[in-house]
Amino acid sequence: MRAASTFVSLLARRGVLDRVEAIGVVLCGSLGATGEGHGTPDAVVAGLRGLDPRTCDVDEVPGAWDALGEGATLVLDGGRAVTMRRADIRLAPLTRLPGHPNGMRFVAYGAGVPAQGSGDRPVLAQEIAYSVGGGFVVWEDALVDGGDTELSEALTESSSDVVDPALEFESAAELLEVCRRTGLDIAEVAWAHELALRPTPTTPTTPTTPTTSTTTTPVAAGLDEIWSAMSDCIDSGLTREGHLPGRLNVRRRAARTRVRLEALEEAATRGDVVGDLSIEWLQACAMAVNEENASGRRVVTAPTNGAAGIIPAVGRHFLRTHPALADDDEASRRAMRRYLLVAGAIGNLYKRNASISGAEAGCQGEVGSACSMAAGALCAVLGGTPEQVENAAEIAMEHNLGLTCDPVGGLVQVPCIERNAIAACTAVSAARLALQGDGSHVVSLDTVIETMRQTGLDMSTKYKETSTGGLAVNVIEC
C-alpha cells in the first residue's frame, strides 16, 4: 500500500500524473507466491488510490483487486482516473528481483503507441520497490551505488536526525557501552534518538525522559498512539467471532477463549479453585491480534504483520499482572512508552544487522525478532538492568533460531496465529529467566543476531515465505 501510494506521488512530482492512462504492477518472488493469501494485490489498489494503512477504512481494502475485473475506473491519488484490469496486477512468484525477495515493479503508461508501431503503450515512468519487512519500503535507486536517488530523496521524511555521537550505536555491545558510559538505560537512549528524529516544536527548559514527558511532545504522542492501536487491536480480536477469510476456513479462537476465561474468573469469585490464568490470557491476546491481521484488519507491524501479536500481548500481560497500573492511566502510559522504546531499540539491531523479513530470513526473522524484542522490553519494565535486558532478548532469539516461514495456502493463519501465542509465552519466560541472573551470559545478543542472519542465508527458499515447503505443502488445504 505504501509503495503504490509513493509511486503515484512520484508521478505527480514528475508532472506526468495527468497523462497516465493505466498502471501495471508485477509482484515478484515471495510477494507473488503469497500475494493472494496476504491480500497484497488489494493493498496495491488501495495504495494507488492514496489510502494510508494507518488511517484508512479497512473495509475498503479487501476485494479491491477482484473488483477491477476486465476493466474498471480507478481514481488515483491526486484525482487522475484511469482504467485498470485485474490482470494489470500480476503475480510472478518465480521472478526474483535482485534487491530482495519481496520485490515489485510499477509502470505508468500513457496514451497512444510508440512511433515504431509495436503496439505497446508508451511508458511514462517505472520503478522497482522492495518490501523489506516491518512496513519499510526501499527503492531500487537507493540500492545502486551512484544511481539516481531522486525517488528516495524526494520521498524520504525530513528530520533533524542529529543524534548526540555519544549515544550512537550499531550493535548490542555498543548500546550497552553507551548505557554504562552515560548512566542512561536503554529506553532513555532510544528516547534520545527519537527526539532527534522528531524534535519538539519548542525545546523544553528541562530534558524530558520516557517517564516524565507528556503527550504534548511528538515522541510521547507517537508512542501512545502505537500502544493505543495495539491495545485496540487486542480488544477487537477478543470480541470478533466467526471464520477467517480464505479456503482454509479457520475458525477464530480468541473470542471463544475470552468467554471461557471470563467464565473461569467468575467461578473463582464464587470460591472455585481455578488457578492462574495469566498465560491463557497472554495467548488469547496474541491470537486476537493475528486473527485481526489474517482478516485484513488494522494491526501494528511489530516488527512485521505476521508477528504482530507478540509485542502487544506481552505488553498487555505486563499491565494485567500489575493491577496497580490499571487505576493509573498516566503510569500505564509511561510504562508502555518504556516498553515500546526498548522493543524498538532491539528491533533496530535486527533490522540493521540481520533481517526482519520472513522472505529473507524465514520466520526466525519475524516471530523470532518479535519474541526477542518483547522479552527485552518486558525485562526492562520489570526493572531489569541493560545487561539483563540484552540477556532476555538473546535468550528469546536463541530458541527461535531456524524457525521456518511456511504459511499454509499463503495465508497468515496456519501456523502463524498459534506461533505468535507460543512466542509470546517464550518472551515472558526469557524475561523472567534473565531477571534471575546478573546479565552475564555466554552467548551475546550480537552473536545470536549474526547466527540468525547466517541461518537465514543457508535456509532453503522454500522455507522463506514462498509456501513451497514445510507445512505449506504437507497440510491438505481442503
Side-chain angles (χ1 to χ4, degrees):
M1 194 184 298
R2 286 178 170 168
S5 177
T6 298
F7 181 67
V8 176
S9 297
L10 174 70
L11 298 176
R13 179 180 176 85
R14 290 181 176 173
V16 299
L17 181 60
D18 60 350
R19 294 193 284 128
V20 174
E21 296 292 329
I23 300 286
V25 183
V26 183
L27 300 172
C28 303
S30 293
L31 284 184
T34 62
E36 289 193 66
H38 283 56
T40 311
D42 291 334
V44 168
V45 176
L48 293 175
R49 292 175 52 202
L51 298 187
D52 186 327
R54 292 178 57 175
T55 59
C56 72
D57 180 350
V58 294
D59 292 325
E60 292 187 46
V61 181
W65 184 41
D66 285 337
L68 296 178
E70 294 301 314
T73 299
L74 182 70
V75 180
L76 303 177
D77 187 25
R80 177 64 174 176
V82 301
T83 298
M84 281 195 68
R85 305 166 299 152
R86 188 180 187 275
D88 290 332
I89 300 177
R90 185 165 60 87
L91 305 177
L94 300 181
T95 301
R96 169 158 177 165
L97 298 175
H100 191 276
N102 283 336
M104 62 197 107
R105 185 188 302 274
F106 294 92
V107 184
Y109 298 100
V113 297
Q116 63 268 32
S118 66
D120 294 331
R121 291 170 293 185
V123 173
L124 299 177
Q126 59 180 322
E127 297 291 344
I128 293 174
Y130 298 101
S131 174
V132 297
F136 294 99
V137 176
V138 175
W139 293 88
E140 178 77 2
D141 74 297
L143 299 177
V144 180
D145 185 27
D148 178 11
T149 59
E150 175 200 0
L151 182 59
S152 297
E153 291 179 353
L155 300 170
T156 298
E157 292 184 7
S158 61
S159 68
S160 63
D161 199 17
V162 180
V163 180
D164 183 348
L167 300 180
E168 292 181 348
F169 64 93
E170 295 186 359
S171 67
E174 291 179 3
L175 174 58
L176 290 178
E177 178 56 31
V178 168
C179 293
R180 295 187 191 103
R181 188 175 63 249
T182 63
L184 301 175
D185 61 27
I186 292 175
E188 290 166 337
V189 174
W191 177 261
H193 281 261
E194 292 295 334
L195 287 179
L197 289 165
R198 300 166 184 82
T200 54
T202 57
T203 304
T205 55
T206 58
T208 61
T209 70
T211 56
T212 62
S213 178
T214 67
T215 55
T216 57
T217 64
V219 176
L223 291 167
D224 292 348
E225 179 188 6
I226 290 171
W227 178 248
S228 178
M230 287 180 169
S231 191
D232 289 347
C233 188
I234 291 174
D235 293 338
S236 178
L238 287 175
T239 59
R240 207 182 300 277
E241 300 185 7
H243 291 78
L244 298 173
R247 55 188 177 274
L248 297 181
N249 201 35
V250 173
R251 186 177 179 184
R252 285 177 173 265
R253 296 163 60 184
R256 289 184 293 146
T257 301
R258 173 190 60 80
V259 171
R260 285 196 293 269
L261 293 177
E262 289 176 344
L264 287 171
E265 290 181 335
E266 177 63 25
T269 65
R270 299 192 300 267
D272 292 357
V273 177
V274 173
D276 177 55
L277 298 174
S278 60
I279 295 301
E280 285 78 5
W281 274 112
L282 170 66
Q283 294 171 331
C285 291
M287 290 192 297
V289 173
N290 283 84
E291 286 176 353
E292 290 290 276
N293 176 62
S295 57
R297 313 299 296 181
R298 181 174 289 111
V299 300
V300 178
T301 53
T304 66
N305 283 18
I310 299 165
I311 291 174
V314 173
R316 177 67 67 88
H317 172 80
F318 170 75
L319 295 177
R320 284 184 61 88
T321 54
H322 291 75
L325 293 174
D327 298 325
D328 190 336
D329 289 343
E330 185 59 29
S332 64
R333 277 196 297 271
R334 289 173 176 173
M336 287 300 97
R337 290 174 195 163
R338 294 185 61 83
Y339 177 77
L340 293 174
L341 285 164
V342 175
I346 295 169
N348 183 64
L349 295 174
Y350 282 98
K351 183 174 182 292
R352 174 188 291 272
N353 299 319
S355 175
I356 56 172
S357 169
E360 193 170 38
C363 205
Q364 58 171 1
E366 295 195 46
V367 163
S369 60
C371 181
S372 181
M373 293 162 66
L378 178 61
C379 184
V381 293
L382 288 174
T385 65
E387 289 77 14
Q388 289 172 318
V389 169
E390 186 262 358
N391 189 15
E394 178 275 323
I395 293 171
M397 173 52 83
E398 187 176 1
H399 301 288
N400 277 286
L401 288 174
L403 191 61
T404 60
C405 186
D406 49 355
V408 178
L411 298 163
V412 195
Q413 298 177 12
V414 179
C416 317
I417 295 171
E418 283 185 356
R419 188 169 283 172
N420 274 252
I422 298 302
C425 296
T426 300
V428 173
S429 296
R432 295 173 67 169
L433 183 59
L435 286 168
Q436 300 311 306
D438 61 3
S440 60
H441 52 107
V442 174
V443 180
S444 70
L445 178 57
D446 289 328
T447 297
V448 84
I449 290 175
E450 173 59 17
T451 303
M452 187 269 275
R453 186 190 70 82
Q454 294 175 6
T455 304
L457 291 174
D458 292 339
M459 190 180 292
S460 170
T461 56
K462 67 182 182 180
Y463 298 121
K464 294 195 285 189
E465 206 175 53
T466 59
S467 287
T468 57
L471 290 175
V473 298
N474 289 314
V475 174
I476 299 173
E477 296 181 27
C478 59

